């Protein structure tokens, strides 16, 4: 499950990279407040998100006994962040964002939970 989780995270990172490069997807991210490409501040948030997503994937891989072998608490932190992301995507005011990201973040949460709670 850790490899599936990490593979899906790579897809989310691809989405964040597209946002940084100017993809006109503001309505389906960060609360859906922007029509079109994100402003500089939104792109910075996307860049920070990439770092967080990488750390979460590595933490879940570690919990499953793979490199980089981080302490178990990092996986619990990743699960907590993933859970928060899931909740925020279910309650976002943006219907488009909710429709796309709520199911994806729910699947990611369940995959991470399967690894962390094993």
């Amino acid at each position: 499950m850790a490899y599936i989780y990490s593979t899906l995270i790579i897809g989310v990172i691809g989405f964040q990279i597209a946002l940084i490069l100017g993809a006109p997807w503001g309505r389906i991210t960060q609360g859906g407040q922007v029509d079109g490409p994100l402003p500089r501040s939104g792109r910075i948030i996307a860049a920070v998100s990439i770092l967080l997503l990488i750390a979460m994937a590595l933490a879940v891989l570690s919990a499953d006994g793979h490199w980089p072998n981080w302490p178990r608490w990092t996986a619990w932190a990743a699960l907590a962040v993933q859970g928060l992301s899931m909740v925020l995507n279910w309650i976002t005011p943006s219907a488009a964002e909710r429709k796309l990201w709520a199911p994806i973040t729910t699947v990611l949460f369940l995959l991470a939970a399967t690894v962390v709670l094993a």
Side-chain angles (χ1 to χ4, degrees):
M1 294 297 161
Y3 286 127
I4 296 169
Y5 177 83
S6 298
T7 300
L8 291 175
I9 289 291
I10 291 169
V12 177
I13 289 170
F15 176 81
Q16 299 297 333
I17 290 169
L19 291 172
I20 292 166
L21 296 176
W25 300 334
R27 282 280 169 224
I28 57 173
T29 190
Q30 300 180 17
Q33 302 299 316
V34 176
D35 231 354
L38 294 175
R40 173 176 280 205
S41 60
R43 293 175 192 207
I44 291 169
I45 291 168
V48 171
S49 295
I50 290 171
L51 299 175
L52 183 59
L53 289 163
I54 291 169
M56 290 167 59
L58 293 175
V60 172
L61 284 168
S62 292
D64 202 33
H66 305 290
W67 179 88
N69 299 312
W70 287 352
R72 186 115 179 124
W73 69 264
T74 63
W76 283 101
L79 183 62
V81 172
Q82 190 65 68
L84 177 61
S85 175
M86 177 184 67
V87 169
L88 291 174
N89 279 289
W90 279 109
I91 65 171
T92 181
S94 168
E97 183 178 7
R98 196 169 44 251
K99 185 176 180 180
L100 174 65
W101 289 109
I104 292 171
T105 55
T106 299
V107 168
L108 287 167
F109 176 78
L110 293 172
L111 288 167
T114 300
V115 173
V116 174
L117 299 175

